[in-house]
Amino acid sequence: MKHIINEKNSAVKAMLSAYHFEHQDRLAIDTQHNIIYQKDVSGVSLISGGGSGHEPAHFGYVGEGMLSASVSGDLFTPPFPDAILRAIERTDTGAGALLIVKNFASDVEVFTEAKRLAKQKGHHVEMVIVSDDVSVDNKETYSKRKRGVAGTVLIYKILGYFKQHGLSLSELCTIADDLMPHLFTLGVALSSAALPETDPFFSLASNEVYFGVGIHGEKGYRKEPFQSSEQLAIELYNKLKHLHRFKPGEQYAFLINGLGATPLLEQYVFSHDIKRLAHLDKITIDFIKTGTQLSSYNMHGISLSCLKITDPRFKEALRMPVAASHW
Amino acid sequence: MKHIINEKNSAVKAMLSAYHFEHQDRLAIDTQHNIIYQKDVSGVSLISGGGSGHEPAHFGYVGEGMLSASVSGDLFTPPFPDAILRAIERTDTGAGALLIVKNFASDVEVFTEAKRLAKQKGHHVEMVIVSDDVSVDNKETYSKRKRGVAGTVLIYKILGYFKQHGLSLSELCTIADDLMPHLFTLGVALSSAALPETDPFFSLASNEVYFGVGIHGEKGYRKEPFQSSEQLAIELYNKLKHLHRFKPGEQYAFLINGLGATPLLEQYVFSHDIKRLAHLDKITIDFIKTGTQLSSYNMHGISLSCLKITDPRFKEALRMPVAASHW
């Protein structure tokens, strides 16, 4: 596997420098701490981040109407607490900061520590943990994994909208609490991610797919031979349908997310299959978005996120244009 | 190689249907002729298209400030002249239509025929042919290939800006004539594209790259062992520098384009290398954009486009926000 980088250790800083150079009219960079942040923050600061290798997450979502700042760790490695603390210090205008964290133990740990440090310094900080992944492990227990994956981007968008409309830190937490029980994601891989200087995380036969994979090379719950986009769509859709208990007339938002090396044509073919399944169930698609939004480096695969629209403002929040480059 | 599709013959229509469904508030579809077009066209109609497999080209650029319509052929296959004619009929408001065509013999042929048919029906139609690819063949002749590749997207953007500002068909042709001599692109592959039901177009050793490849599996001019992003950047940048004869203080726009399966992290690392080379030459980067803009299905690779900014309005044209989903 070839990777268009120079040195593994310099890749993240080079990427952030290039991204900032393109968007320097509206974004600032803290090169030491790998922070991309808005030049003009108003209201509550929304901060997210995590390991790199998930581009365009997270820096691609920094901008008016979405995130105030992103903090990047190394490839598949969380940032350090002091970097997150710096992001809070750089963007807290007095209205406080909300940390949006994907539910991985190591991410939760560093963000929790950063929150503690920031509170010591007098910042109002809250944390919401996204655990949209409904994959299960492949043992007899079928325990839920509850990782935070692509659905997180929908959370950015909706909270970003409400933050822009002046909601307070505690009001944003309430919105987040309303959203979380209704957001589910499930992914499938056609190949493993392979990071520079690292072997692929799992192997698949040339005709196999792997349902329920994570975004850091975590294994899925079942391998089976690939047949068609529709086969993948039915598996992912039906799992989410079962959890949501779809009823005709209910309103949903869908995110079809390429996992890194998936051609856009394939993402849209899959999106078409999802649309047809939703129509069969007579649910209303309030919002649908297809694209590479939260990737797993160079994985060929796709994930489906589904959010029940329990408040008409959520639909408006998802549809409103934003300044972020990659929404 | 697995492909997330159902049947090869239905993939393009499924993709366009899904894309239209997402953007139905502002875009219309002609499902028979694979046309995506603006609901509200004003001024000259800008039309492009070509084979599918280059997503987000071309439909991703339909919207106020860029294209009025796109016409999609099958995978790596041009659309039929009657489909292009239909696109002209659907979007010509009386101000005429400008066809923007990538320089491949088969594309030029079908667009020329469509232009002839449309003129018979009384439409004012002009055609600009983009031939930005500066690759050469690998024989002794080193004849220039002059294919139309990723730089075409910069042409969409600049002509879309001037069209939006009310320029006439003939004035847009003059702008296009001004731009074309100053636009060059060169690409490199780390793997071949592989279409559904088709073998890869060429093979590379696990450590090899191929300079000068096209976007339909066309071979390049030289293979060599991969070393680093910088090695690729130097080869592509120096070829374009030589053609432009860079002088300190001159202004340029750069497009760094992922060819389909290239992680965004790698695209930005490469972009960072280009930025550093440009700074060494003391040229001014008026505009730089990094992303998958015109792909070659699932090819791992990258292309570099460079446009000399010979008119300050071109910089403004490139920077203005647009409604198109994928710019």
Side-chain angles (χ1 to χ4, degrees):
Chain A
M1 199 72 195
K2 289 157 278 191
H3 301 279
I4 306 178
I5 63 167
N6 296 302
E7 291 177 308
K8 190 181 172 186
N9 291 337
S10 66
V12 170
K13 285 197 187 295
M15 167 181 71
L16 294 173
S17 171
Y19 182 76
H20 172 252
F21 185 71
E22 274 186 40
H23 301 279
Q24 57 188 299
D25 53 328
R26 61 180 181 84
L27 300 179
I29 187 169
D30 176 332
T31 54
Q32 187 187 344
H33 298 100
N34 293 347
I35 302 167
I36 296 285
Y37 60 106
Q38 285 186 280
K39 283 184 174 172
D40 298 305
V41 182
S42 60
V44 176
S45 170
L46 291 187
I47 299 173
S48 192
S52 294
H54 304 301
E55 292 69 31
H58 306 276
F59 56 81
Y61 304 114
V62 178
E64 192 56 27
M66 283 188 87
L67 298 180
S68 312
S70 69
V71 194
S72 297
D74 211 337
L75 284 165
F76 290 7
T77 306
F80 292 105
D82 69 316
I84 303 166
L85 173 63
R86 281 301 285 145
I88 295 167
E89 291 177 331
R90 286 187 178 282
T91 57
D92 181 5
T93 62
L98 181 57
L99 311 179
I100 307 174
V101 185
K102 302 193 303 303
N103 191 34
F104 292 94
S106 53
D107 286 82
V108 172
E109 189 179 316
V110 293
F111 276 91
T112 302
E113 174 62 7
K115 179 183 168 185
R116 192 185 67 77
L117 295 170
K119 285 194 158 185
Q120 279 183 350
K121 295 198 166 199
H123 296 276
H124 293 286
V125 183
E126 296 293 343
M127 187 160 82
V128 300
I129 298 175
V130 186
S131 56
D132 54 320
D133 190 354
V134 297
S135 181
V136 292
D137 67 32
N138 53 7
K139 299 171 194 153
E140 287 184 359
T141 58
Y142 272 85
S143 65
K144 289 182 182 172
R145 285 169 162 167
K146 294 195 167 198
R147 299 172 292 216
V149 289
T152 309
V153 180
L154 298 177
I155 300 298
Y156 297 160
K157 185 66 177 72
I158 294 174
L159 292 183
Y161 168 89
F162 284 106
K163 159 248 165 73
Q164 196 176 2
H165 284 72
L167 266 64
S168 69
L169 183 56
S170 66
E171 288 168 330
L172 291 175
C173 289
T174 303
I175 298 274
D177 288 343
D178 289 347
L179 288 166
M180 295 305 174
H182 303 291
L183 176 64
F184 302 128
T185 297
L186 192 56
V188 59
L190 283 73
S191 72
S192 169
L195 297 185
E197 302 171 23
T198 307
D199 288 333
F201 295 93
F202 52 79
S203 60
L204 289 175
S206 65
N207 71 334
E208 267 182 339
V209 302
Y210 207 173
F211 290 112
V213 295
I215 56 170
H216 306 104
E218 299 95 339
K219 294 176 182 179
Y221 58 80
R222 190 173 82 245
K223 291 181 184 179
E224 65 178 51
F226 173 73
Q227 294 167 41
S228 64
S229 169
E230 198 173 31
Q231 163 213 20
L232 308 185
I234 287 171
E235 172 76 16
L236 302 189
Y237 177 89
N238 279 349
K239 286 274 194 301
L240 303 191
K241 170 183 173 172
H242 175 75
L243 289 160
H244 276 301
R245 303 169 184 267
F246 286 168
K247 291 181 194 65
E250 287 181 338
Q251 297 170 300
Y252 288 91
F254 288 95
L255 177 68
I256 288 91
N257 174 53
L259 285 167
T262 312
L264 206 49
L265 180 140
E266 298 186 6
Q267 298 182 41
Y268 280 116
V269 167
F270 180 87
S271 178
H272 183 62
D273 289 324
I274 294 299
K275 179 184 71 171
R276 291 195 300 182
L277 291 167
H279 285 175
L280 286 174
D281 282 328
K282 296 184 167 48
I283 60 169
T284 299
I285 301 178
D286 266 351
F287 176 85
I288 185 166
K289 189 175 182 72
T290 304
T292 299
Q293 303 288 155
L294 196 150
S295 67
S296 179
Y297 201 71
N298 55 11
M299 185 187 279
H300 186 200
I302 210 154
S303 72
L304 176 68
S305 299
C306 181
L307 172 71
K308 186 173 179 181
I309 302 295
T310 55
D311 181 328
R313 294 176 302 168
F314 296 165
K315 173 178 167 180
E316 188 188 334
L318 287 168
R319 291 186 175 191
M320 194 187 68
V322 285
S325 62
H326 280 79
W327 171 256
Chain B
M1 199 73 198
K2 289 156 277 190
H3 300 280
I4 306 178
I5 62 167
N6 297 301
E7 291 176 308
K8 190 181 172 186
N9 292 336
S10 66
V12 171
K13 284 198 188 297
M15 165 181 72
L16 294 173
S17 172
Y19 181 77
H20 172 251
F21 184 71
E22 274 187 40
H23 300 280
Q24 56 190 297
D25 53 328
R26 61 180 181 86
L27 300 179
I29 187 169
D30 176 333
T31 53
Q32 187 187 342
H33 298 100
N34 292 347
I35 302 167
I36 296 284
Y37 60 106
Q38 284 186 282
K39 282 184 175 172
D40 297 306
V41 183
S42 61
V44 176
S45 170
L46 290 188
I47 299 173
S48 193
S52 293
H54 304 301
E55 291 70 30
H58 305 277
F59 56 80
Y61 304 114
V62 178
E64 193 55 26
M66 282 188 88
L67 299 180
S68 311
S70 69
V71 194
S72 297
D74 211 338
L75 283 165
F76 290 7
T77 307
F80 291 105
D82 70 315
I84 303 166
L85 174 63
R86 281 302 285 146
I88 296 168
E89 290 177 334
R90 286 186 178 282
T91 57
D92 181 5
T93 62
L98 182 57
L99 310 179
I100 307 174
V101 185
K102 301 194 302 303
N103 191 33
F104 292 95
S106 53
D107 286 80
V108 172
E109 189 179 318
V110 293
F111 276 90
T112 301
E113 174 62 7
K115 179 184 168 186
R116 191 185 67 77
L117 295 171
K119 284 195 158 184
Q120 278 183 350
K121 295 198 166 199
H123 296 277
H124 293 285
V125 184
E126 296 293 343
M127 187 160 83
V128 299
I129 299 176
V130 186
S131 55
D132 54 321
D133 189 355
V134 299
S135 180
V136 291
D137 67 31
N138 54 7
K139 298 171 193 150
E140 288 185 359
T141 59
Y142 272 85
S143 64
K144 289 181 182 174
R145 286 168 160 164
K146 294 195 165 197
R147 300 171 292 215
V149 290
T152 309
V153 180
L154 298 177
I155 300 297
Y156 297 161
K157 185 66 177 71
I158 295 175
L159 293 183
Y161 168 88
F162 284 106
K163 160 245 166 74
Q164 196 177 0
H165 284 72
L167 266 63
S168 68
L169 183 54
S170 66
E171 288 169 330
L172 291 174
C173 289
T174 303
I175 300 274
D177 288 343
D178 289 346
L179 289 166
M180 294 307 172
H182 302 291
L183 176 63
F184 302 126
T185 297
L186 193 56
V188 59
L190 283 72
S191 73
S192 170
L195 298 184
E197 303 171 21
T198 307
D199 288 334
F201 295 93
F202 53 79
S203 61
L204 288 176
S206 65
N207 71 334
E208 267 181 338
V209 302
Y210 207 174
F211 290 111
V213 296
I215 57 171
H216 305 104
E218 299 96 340
K219 295 177 181 177
Y221 59 78
R222 189 174 83 242
K223 291 181 184 177
E224 64 177 52
F226 173 73
Q227 296 168 40
S228 65
S229 169
E230 198 172 32
Q231 164 213 20
L232 307 185
I234 288 171
E235 171 76 14
L236 303 189
Y237 177 89
N238 279 348
K239 286 273 193 301
L240 303 191
K241 169 183 173 173
H242 175 73
L243 289 161
H244 276 301
R245 301 168 184 269
F246 287 167
K247 290 182 196 64
E250 287 181 336
Q251 297 170 299
Y252 289 90
F254 288 94
L255 177 68
I256 288 90
N257 174 54
L259 285 166
T262 312
L264 206 48
L265 180 139
E266 298 186 6
Q267 298 182 43
Y268 280 115
V269 168
F270 179 87
S271 178
H272 184 63
D273 289 323
I274 294 299
K275 180 184 71 172
R276 290 195 298 182
L277 292 168
H279 284 175
L280 286 175
D281 282 328
K282 297 184 167 43
I283 59 169
T284 301
I285 301 177
D286 265 352
F287 177 85
I288 186 165
K289 188 174 182 72
T290 305
T292 299
Q293 302 289 154
L294 196 149
S295 67
S296 179
Y297 201 72
N298 55 12
M299 184 187 280
H300 185 200
I302 210 154
S303 71
L304 175 67
S305 300
C306 181
L307 172 71
K308 186 173 179 183
I309 301 296
T310 54
D311 181 329
R313 294 176 301 168
F314 297 163
K315 173 178 168 180
E316 188 188 336
L318 287 168
R319 291 186 174 191
M320 193 187 68
V322 285
S325 62
H326 280 79
W327 171 254

